[in-house]
Amino acid sequence: MPSPDRLLALPSGRALVGLRTKLLNWFDEHRRNLPWRVSRDAYRIWVSEVMLQQTTVAAVVPFFERFLVAFPTVEALAKADEQQVLKLWEGLGYYRRARHLHAAAKELIANSAGKLPDDPAVWANLPGVGRYILGAVLSQAFDRKLPIVEANSLRVLARLFGYRGDPREGEGKAWVWSAAEALLPQKRVGDFNQALMELGALVCLPTGPACGQCPLAANCKANQDGLQEKIPPPKKQTATVAVSEVGVVVRDGAGVLLCRRREDAGRWQNMWEVPHAPRAPNEEVSTAVVRVAKELTGLDVEAGAEVLTIRHAVTRYRITLVCVDATLRGGQFTPGFYAASEWLTPGELDKHPVSAPQRKLMRELGKSGRQKRLF
């Protein structure tokens, strides 16, 4: 059976050693000074890698620093209430990551005496830990010879070896993981994995890569063939779906109704929001307000003026959320769609974790002298 190096058309011997050396030397000189790189502490590395999934470095840094102040150890994280964790995560999005991180911390405390072990078998069974997180944490913290593949390293590897298929799926996905593994050095594995990602983030950009600054330019097949803009091929575009929603700001005197989603709610589970749901085709906003309040909370309301219209995206959905004031006219909150509810004053609306669109609404409701407007 051919060796992985032969299958991947990798350089061998001194050439392969030279490639690794060039990349590590470049990383030593150009690596960014990031707060999770100050040590090989597995907990700090783990938290950072979870946060960095589908989020930029610039966005993560302040969240990481606040999170580590609140939960400096895996023990502190495990002891925290989930609402505390979600509140600290508020604004990062993809909240399932936070819930998995919290659940995994509890498992480590219960089954591993609070230690983050150098054991792939333990990590592989933790909530939210896939092949990338496992390789990223164990290679950086313990120098385990494990590969990682994410958007930046995927792009570097595809261009370096001139892979013209799609490395994000199918045979291409298997190929890129094999390439990442075959390139690994015997030592400084974590640094090497970070170097691949760093090169993709700073030099081997999706468009307009700075090939003149790349330490691997002489080795790069895409650079030699002028195919940097074609490798890897663009992501397949998914058709977007427009959704029109109404959000109901139910008021009873000075109180505003905030509801908590159920644990099995899927998206935004256990987070808080004003009741909201899609409008039916051609349904008047005021009609939708009354219907949504009744169906989701059991309350009878009278629709008022528009508060704010928020446009945001969730996966392939492009959502227009029209938020409307509503006055409580009767009924009692009935758990069902929501697990619980609270009446809060505008000054208390930052008490609970909410999604980014809901936070925009909370800020608007907290403004003094806010002018009402017709929808």
Side-chain angles (χ1 to χ4, degrees), residues 79-107:
K79 291 177 182 177
D81 181 79
E82 186 185 85
Q83 292 287 294
Q84 293 177 275
V85 178
L86 291 173
K87 185 64 179 174
L88 265 293
W89 204 272
E90 187 179 290
L92 265 180
Y94 302 100
Y95 294 92
R96 188 183 300 271
R97 297 177 298 172
R99 289 188 290 270
H100 281 160
L101 185 68
H102 188 217
K106 290 183 176 182
E107 287 196 20

Side-chain angles (χ1 to χ4, degrees), residues 248-317:
V248 188
V249 182
V250 185
R251 296 181 184 271
D252 184 17
V256 175
L257 182 72
L258 217 57
C259 301
R260 179 169 60 81
R261 295 174 72 93
R262 300 197 315 260
E263 287 195 9
D264 61 353
R267 186 180 303 124
W268 298 322
Q269 67 190 68
N270 278 341
M271 298 186 71
W272 295 74
E273 62 188 26
V274 302
H276 66 98
R279 290 164 56 195
N282 301 316
E283 184 180 28
E284 293 290 337
V285 171
S286 57
T287 303
V289 166
V290 174
R291 174 184 61 80
V292 168
K294 188 68 174 179
E295 290 179 355
L296 271 53
T297 70
L299 299 177
D300 299 313
V301 304
E302 179 182 340
E306 178 188 342
V307 176
L308 183 68
T309 293
I310 301 170
R311 292 175 176 82
H312 65 106
V314 177
T315 62
R316 63 192 181 96
Y317 299 99

Side-chain angles (χ1 to χ4, degrees), residues 307-365:
V307 176
L308 183 68
T309 293
I310 301 170
R311 292 175 176 82
H312 65 106
V314 177
T315 62
R316 63 192 181 96
Y317 299 99
R318 301 297 179 265
I319 301 168
T320 300
L321 173 63
V322 179
C323 304
V324 178
D325 267 326
T327 303
L328 178 66
R329 293 304 184 203
Q332 289 186 329
F333 174 80
T334 305
F337 185 87
Y338 291 112
S341 68
E342 284 189 24
W343 291 97
L344 302 171
T345 66
E348 297 172 325
L349 289 173
D350 64 350
K351 176 180 176 182
H352 295 304
V354 299
S355 66
Q358 291 286 319
R359 178 53 58 206
K360 290 181 181 179
L361 175 59
M362 300 302 111
R363 285 197 293 265
E364 181 67 21
L365 293 175

